[in-house]
């Protein structure tokens, strides 16, 4: 697994046998709480995320080469233990370990972030990204508070004000509006 301090990574993790990893809103809220705790503990900046029914996507910049792995290990231990206790089950929840790829260019970083936030639209779960409350789109595209999100410098460069950044992010740099009511 390639990882370097200060280099963004796109991390995905799928449910074992593609089974659901979130059964209700409580599960999703618990996961995000554990993610916030683990990201702060391991000094990983979360730039984008989405929780789907059976997988997750994260855009993360670790401050150390081992930060992302340690964050995911901590998150996995806490979440799986809680999920199993809550749903009266045992065993693994995730398929293998998480998968990651380096996000090595500024253009790819914004494309990856938008890909993450548009995942529920592509999966036909919602028509607009702001209709899926379990993603970073509410923060990045609409400006709603989200303690989990640390805007990446490439996002901040989208405009000279939060409103301009949100508008440009929502338009995807192509002038077409991708969400927000």
């Amino acid at each position: 697994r390639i990882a370097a301090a200060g280099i963004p990574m796109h991390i995905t993790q799928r449910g074992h046998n593609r089974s659901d990893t979130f059964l209700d809103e409580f599960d999703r809220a618990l996961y995000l709480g554990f993610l916030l705790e683990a990201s702060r503990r391991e000094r990983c900046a979360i730039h984008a995320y989405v929780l789907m029914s059976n997988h997750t996507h994260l855009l993360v910049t670790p401050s150390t080469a081992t930060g992302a792995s340690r964050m995911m290990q901590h998150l996995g231990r806490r979440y799986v233990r809680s999920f199993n206790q809550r749903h009266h089950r045992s065993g693994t929840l995730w398929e293998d370990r998480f998968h990651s790829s380096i996000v090595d260019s500024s253009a790819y970083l914004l494309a990856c972030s938008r890909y993450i936030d548009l995942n529920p639209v592509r999966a036909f779960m919602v028509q607009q990204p702001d209709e899926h409350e379990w993603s970073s789109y509410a923060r990045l595209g609409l400006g709603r508070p989200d303690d989990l999100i640390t805007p990446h410098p490439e996002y901040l460069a989208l405009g000279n004000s939060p409103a301009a950044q949100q508008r440009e992010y929502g338009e995807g740099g192509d002038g077409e509006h991708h969400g927000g009511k």
Side-chain angles (χ1 to χ4, degrees), residues 17 20 22 37 41 52 65 76 100 118 174:
N17 289 328
D20 286 349
F22 306 103
E37 177 187 298
R41 175 182 169 164
M52 303 295 281
S100 65
L118 291 173
D174 57 11

Side-chain angles (χ1 to χ4, degrees), residues 149-166:
I149 295 298
T150 301
H152 190 276
E154 292 297 329
Y155 172 86
L156 296 174
L158 289 174
N160 58 5
S161 71
Q165 294 158 358
Q166 294 153 24

